[in-house]
Amino acid sequence: MRRSMLTSAAILLLAALLRLNAVTYGLSAVCLTVPEEYWLFAAEQTTSLYNWNIAPQGALTTLPGRTPPRPLLSAEAQLADRLGLRLAGVVAGLVTVALILRLGRSLGSNWWWAAGLFTAVAPWQVASDRWITPYDAAPLVLMLSVWAYGLGESTRSGWRRAALKGVSTAAALSLLLIAPPLWWLAVLMVVLPPRPHWRLILFLLLGGIVVFPALQTPELWLAAAARWDLGVTSACILVGLLLVLWWRRHLSRWYISALVVVSLCAGAVTLNQTTQLPQPTAEEWELVRWLQNRIPDDEVVQFDFTVWHLAPVVACPMGADIRFQAQSMPVEFFDVRELASPYYLISNRVDAVSKMPYISQVGEHFWIGRRLALPNVTDIGFGELVHVLGYELVTTSTTPAGTVDLRIDYQFGANITPDVLAYAAFVHVTPENDPLTNSVNISDPFFAESGNTGSRRVMLNHHIRFSLPPTIPAGVYAVRLGIFNVYTGEKVGEELILGELVVTGIN
């Protein structure tokens, strides 16, 4: 008995270590949110154990008095709340492992500890317990139902036996609400046992429909039943393990050894999954922020293999309003993909981007190549409003009263609001050696006239044309471009010299 208790304690300790490892991952940065928890940030949900106001996308939006559903979490969610939910899942997972061990011992199985070990280290079980998944309580409810039924069968007391059977039935039926995809399992667990208590079943079923708001309409429940997650997967695999534990209570050493090997491999996979979670350094975070501020929507971005792990962090589905296609580097001789030309190529080697028209460096170890081949390609920012990507003084020589044509290619900043309409470009034409004298001073409200000021939007081939004064003296002039607030006159950033304009005398 003491040896069994020590074995059970060791398995539970191992299960706790695996589940608590990285349990705080992603809590301090929304861009590190794991895919299993994306559903927490979605307003449209099919089912939830944590929120009463739920609805799938497009459902119940036109009913009078209907309060629109809200996401369970936002990017500014309290860390303690998410951590508390994760720890509750860890506790539920440990109770599930403990019940597996207890059930195996009560059945007299000689491999009860191997079954518990497999449940303790399996990657799907650990992930569903560590992260907040919609149906992560399904394995625990399943084990409670089986455990209560088995304990009721071995109890002689009439009232205690009836109470345990009631607990088993209630737990089985609760799967209809806790994990709707397992409705078939709930039906089997209620119908298959001999002498089912139909009155109790009907009472609990009707009571659940009335009490739980998750069954607001059949549409909600059907939408939830069509959704699958790690909790449902864990419960289904647990059902198979319980059936084998029931039918084959005694296994040979070879089978037990094979199960132990499988468990060790599963534990290795679990640990490897943890090591694969992105853990950006300070310099990598600088790269992530740069890309999030500069990647235009619906573009292809190619990541070198050394920075590929940052692609999901840059995408940041729950915290950044950005859409792009992440593309890995081609594998020579083996890659058969039809790769699109990337807008950006990111690498930690400068030679990898050396053939790109323009190269930006972030930190000391990252280089970003940009595909656009523009005249006088550059990357000059005016605050957070706009970045000039290229420019050209199309007219390099003219006469007084002549027309000057200049071109700029630019990109809007990442956080564009209607306030940018108060800003415009100015063009100054100044004598070569006298930058304070403006022979020409015009403004161009390109923000208002662009027609599309979306965040990170790239606008190419924008032309500004103006006429020189008839009285301008002949000479060499500098053409300067800048940004200013039309209401306050305040300049944003420094002036950009586009080139030299030669004004010749009148022929």
Side-chain angles (χ1 to χ4, degrees):
M1 176 62 71
R2 184 176 180 180
R3 183 178 179 180
S4 299
M5 295 298 293
L6 291 176
T7 302
S8 299
I11 293 175
L12 287 173
L13 179 60
L14 177 62
L17 291 176
L18 289 176
R19 284 157 177 78
L20 291 175
N21 183 25
V23 73
T24 60
Y25 176 80
L27 295 181
S28 59
V30 69
C31 289
L32 297 181
T33 302
V34 293
E36 289 82 1
E37 295 185 353
Y38 285 172
W39 70 283
L40 293 169
F41 298 86
E44 296 83 10
Q45 299 178 26
T46 54
T47 187
S48 174
L49 298 180
Y50 316 105
N51 191 9
W52 70 271
N53 187 20
I54 57 177
Q57 188 171 4
L60 304 177
T61 56
T62 59
L63 293 181
R66 169 71 180 180
T67 302
R70 297 179 179 179
L72 294 174
L73 295 179
S74 63
E76 297 79 22
Q78 295 294 326
L79 302 185
D81 295 339
R82 293 181 64 187
L83 180 59
L85 292 176
R86 286 186 180 181
L87 292 178
V90 170
V91 173
L94 295 179
V95 174
T96 301
V97 175
L99 290 176
I100 280 279
L101 295 171
R102 182 68 181 87
L103 182 62
R105 289 175 57 192
S106 64
L107 291 175
S109 172
N110 68 333
W111 58 283
W112 59 270
W113 58 273
L117 177 64
F118 179 74
T119 307
V121 303
W124 50 84
Q125 191 71 52
V126 174
S128 65
D129 294 338
R130 179 193 295 158
W131 313 126
I132 308 171
T133 59
Y135 310 133
D136 53 6
L140 175 60
V141 172
L142 170 65
M143 285 307 306
L144 285 175
S145 180
V146 174
W147 171 78
Y149 180 81
L151 193 60
E153 286 293 316
S154 61
T155 301
R156 295 182 179 180
S157 174
W159 68 269
R160 187 174 299 176
R161 182 187 182 95
L164 289 171
K165 290 295 184 66
V167 170
S168 177
T169 302
L173 288 176
S174 68
L175 287 174
L176 295 173
L177 300 173
I178 292 176
L182 295 175
W183 62 268
W184 53 273
L185 180 59
V187 173
L188 290 177
M189 294 178 66
V190 169
V191 174
L192 288 183
R195 301 182 302 277
H197 299 274
W198 293 110
R199 292 183 179 179
L200 176 62
I201 293 171
L202 183 60
F203 170 77
L204 293 174
L205 186 60
L206 293 177
I209 294 176
V210 174
V211 173
F212 287 89
L215 296 181
Q216 296 177 52
T217 67
E219 181 185 8
L220 285 178
W221 189 87
L222 291 173
R227 182 172 181 174
W228 198 274
D229 74 343
L230 276 177
V232 176
T233 300
S234 301
C236 290
I237 295 176
L238 203 57
V239 169
L241 185 63
L242 290 174
L243 291 176
V244 177
L245 197 61
W246 176 268
W247 286 332
R248 298 293 300 272
R249 304 184 187 184
H250 295 276
L251 295 179
S252 65
R253 291 184 178 180
W254 292 107
Y255 284 112
I256 296 176
S257 299
L259 181 57
V260 171
V261 172
V262 170
S263 300
L264 294 177
C265 294
V269 171
T270 299
L271 292 175
N272 182 67
Q273 288 179 344
T274 302
T275 60
Q276 296 303 313
L277 295 173
Q279 298 281 3
T281 63
E283 191 174 14
E284 288 176 336
W285 274 120
E286 183 181 358
L287 174 64
V288 168
R289 287 189 290 269
W290 193 96
L291 293 172
Q292 289 177 341
N293 289 330
R294 300 303 303 277
I295 296 178
D297 285 340
D298 304 319
E299 290 287 355
V300 176
V301 180
Q302 191 172 83
F303 292 81
D304 197 353
F305 294 115
T306 56
V307 293
W308 173 251
H309 64 285
L310 296 178
V313 183
V314 175
C316 192
M318 300 300 107
D321 182 19
I322 180 173
R323 305 182 309 272
F324 70 94
Q325 177 185 343
Q327 180 177 277
S328 62
M329 295 285 287
V331 180
E332 193 174 2
F333 305 117
F334 295 96
D335 209 323
V336 295
R337 295 174 297 167
E338 295 184 3
L339 300 179
S341 179
Y343 183 87
Y344 281 132
L345 172 60
I346 303 103
S347 178
N348 65 346
R349 297 181 297 107
V350 66
D351 59 290
V353 299
S354 59
K355 296 182 179 180
M356 303 292 281
Y358 188 81
I359 300 174
S360 299
Q361 184 176 358
V362 177
E364 297 182 0
H365 303 97
F366 298 111
W367 285 268
I368 304 169
R370 193 177 67 213
R371 180 191 66 208
L372 295 177
L374 303 172
N376 298 311
V377 59
T378 187
D379 194 349
I380 299 175
F382 290 87
E384 300 296 327
L385 296 176
V386 69
H387 294 265
V388 174
L389 307 180
Y391 61 89
E392 181 183 16
L393 183 60
V394 181
T395 303
T396 58
S397 177
T398 187
T399 59
T403 300
V404 179
D405 182 13
L406 59 91
R407 165 186 171 174
I408 58 171
D409 306 284
Y410 58 92
Q411 179 184 21
F412 290 114
N415 301 305
I416 294 297
T417 67
D419 295 338
V420 301
L421 299 179
Y423 294 87
F426 67 81
V427 177
H428 290 167
V429 177
T430 63
E432 184 179 21
N433 298 319
D434 187 7
L436 299 180
T437 301
N438 295 328
S439 300
V440 174
N441 181 8
I442 67 164
S443 63
D444 179 64
F446 68 100
F447 281 100
E449 295 179 352
S450 66
N452 192 338
T453 54
S455 297
R456 304 177 301 275
R457 181 73 62 180
V458 174
M459 308 296 290
L460 301 178
N461 203 28
H462 176 75
H463 285 263
I464 302 176
R465 298 179 177 91
F466 58 91
S467 297
L468 294 177
T471 58
I472 188 172
V476 178
Y477 293 83
V479 180
R480 303 170 182 269
L481 175 73
I483 306 293
F484 76 107
N485 188 307
V486 297
Y487 298 111
T488 65
E490 180 183 4
K491 291 201 308 182
V492 178
E494 301 295 330
E495 296 180 357
L496 171 63
I497 300 179
L498 303 182
E500 291 186 346
L501 174 66
V502 178
V503 179
T504 60
I506 300 177
N507 296 328

